[in-house]
Amino acid sequence: MPAITPHIRIQTADFDVGEEIAGLSRGRKDIGAVVTFTGLCRDEAGKLSALELEHYPGMAEAAIQRIAGEACTRWPLQGVTVIHRYGRMEPGDNIVLVATASTHRQAAFEAATFIMDFLKSRAPFWKKEHRADGSQGDWVEAREADEAALSAWGK
Amino acid sequence: MKLIYFAWVRERIGKAEEVVDLPAGLETVSDLLGWLRERGEEYENALQHPEVIRVAINQEHVAHGEKIAGANEIALFPPMTGG
């Protein structure tokens, strides 16, 4: 199987999930499964008006490229797309997309989960809250569960 | 040496980046964090719990025991919260 090149985009602009799925499978007859995960900005029961996402330009692309590349060595994938936005996001807005394509569903599901698990705490992004009442928000704290998820993958 | 700060580390130090001349004898990331803490109240405030600070040398995430020789760019930031 020829090595595939993951498509990584770090951008402020929104993305169209349907268009990204179509882009992975267009013109292909060998793909049996496409799995997508979309991460959205949520309002925390009305408390949040927005999230401000900061990133480390350069390192963000490289880190996600490395994570997606690692997924390609672990599972037989036929396509990977990862899009991560930065800037200001309001509740309901897309933040991140991971899409994986494979012959069978298990590889696509597992690879998408692996990429998200590593992306949460190894890709250099930080989220700052903007509160609905106009007060100064906090930086979102890393969750221990996210770090534990990495250990579960054995590295 | 170029230092870059992100998220609350950047806010507490009060700048996004700076170029510094490191004194001789600083060997590891830990040494660098210790030296930075002595540069003023804002650094002390940002780095008071050095164990939570994440570090990248030349855009590669490294442990605090890593040697800093050969680094062009060292970034300090809180634990990452992507996704």
Side-chain angles (χ1 to χ4, degrees):
Chain A
M1 185 184 300
I4 61 150
T5 305
H7 294 280
I8 311 295
R9 283 163 28 216
I10 313 292
Q11 61 190 36
T12 54
D14 195 12
F15 50 80
D16 181 318
V17 180
E19 185 50 42
E20 298 304 329
I21 295 172
L24 271 178
S25 57
R26 187 178 292 125
R28 303 279 299 255
K29 296 186 176 176
D30 56 332
I31 291 173
V34 174
V35 165
T36 67
F37 169 82
T38 310
L40 306 165
C41 179
R42 57 174 188 264
D43 72 357
E44 303 290 359
K47 289 202 292 274
L48 273 196
S49 67
L51 278 179
E52 190 86 35
L53 271 92
E54 179 170 333
H55 79 305
Y56 185 173
M59 184 181 169
E61 287 88 342
I64 295 178
Q65 196 69 246
R66 192 175 318 121
I67 293 161
E70 171 74 18
C72 292
T73 68
R74 289 187 176 220
W75 291 276
L77 300 177
Q78 287 152 305
V80 177
T81 299
V82 180
I83 303 173
H84 205 307
R85 298 178 68 197
Y86 65 94
R88 186 185 171 91
M89 251 106 352
E90 294 181 359
D93 287 351
N94 294 323
I95 298 176
V96 63
L97 172 77
V98 173
T100 52
S102 190
T103 309
H104 300 291
R105 73 179 187 277
Q106 190 174 0
F109 271 123
E110 288 179 4
T113 303
F114 174 90
I115 291 170
M116 272 310 300
D117 280 351
F118 277 81
L119 199 152
K120 293 290 292 183
S121 41
R122 288 294 179 270
F125 290 84
W126 303 272
K127 298 190 183 101
K128 184 167 191 173
E129 299 174 337
H130 291 270
R131 298 210 181 114
D133 65 9
S135 66
Q136 176 80 7
D138 295 323
W139 289 91
V140 174
E141 283 194 42
R143 300 167 65 234
E144 277 181 32
D146 290 335
E147 203 59 41
L150 299 194
S151 309
W153 290 107
K155 64 177 285 185
Chain B
M1 172 75 63
K2 185 179 181 186
L3 300 177
I4 309 184
Y5 312 118
F6 291 101
W8 54 251
V9 174
R10 171 179 54 73
E11 285 184 343
R12 290 178 192 174
I13 290 177
K15 56 184 99 164
E17 59 180 72
E18 63 184 321
V19 175
V20 297
D21 289 318
L22 300 184
L26 293 189
E27 285 195 4
T28 64
V29 167
S30 288
D31 295 342
L32 172 68
L33 294 175
W35 176 74
L36 280 171
R37 283 179 65 172
E38 292 166 8
R39 298 188 79 216
E41 202 177 317
E42 63 274 30
Y43 291 88
E44 173 60 31
N45 181 29
L47 308 174
Q48 57 186 321
H49 300 293
E51 67 281 3
V52 307
I53 302 294
R54 300 289 189 266
V55 179
I57 295 183
N58 299 340
Q59 305 197 348
E60 291 253 3
H61 191 195
V62 299
H64 285 200
E66 191 79 12
K67 296 258 197 298
I68 58 175
N72 300 315
E73 179 175 294
I74 300 183
L76 309 186
F77 41 77
M80 296 167 261
T81 53

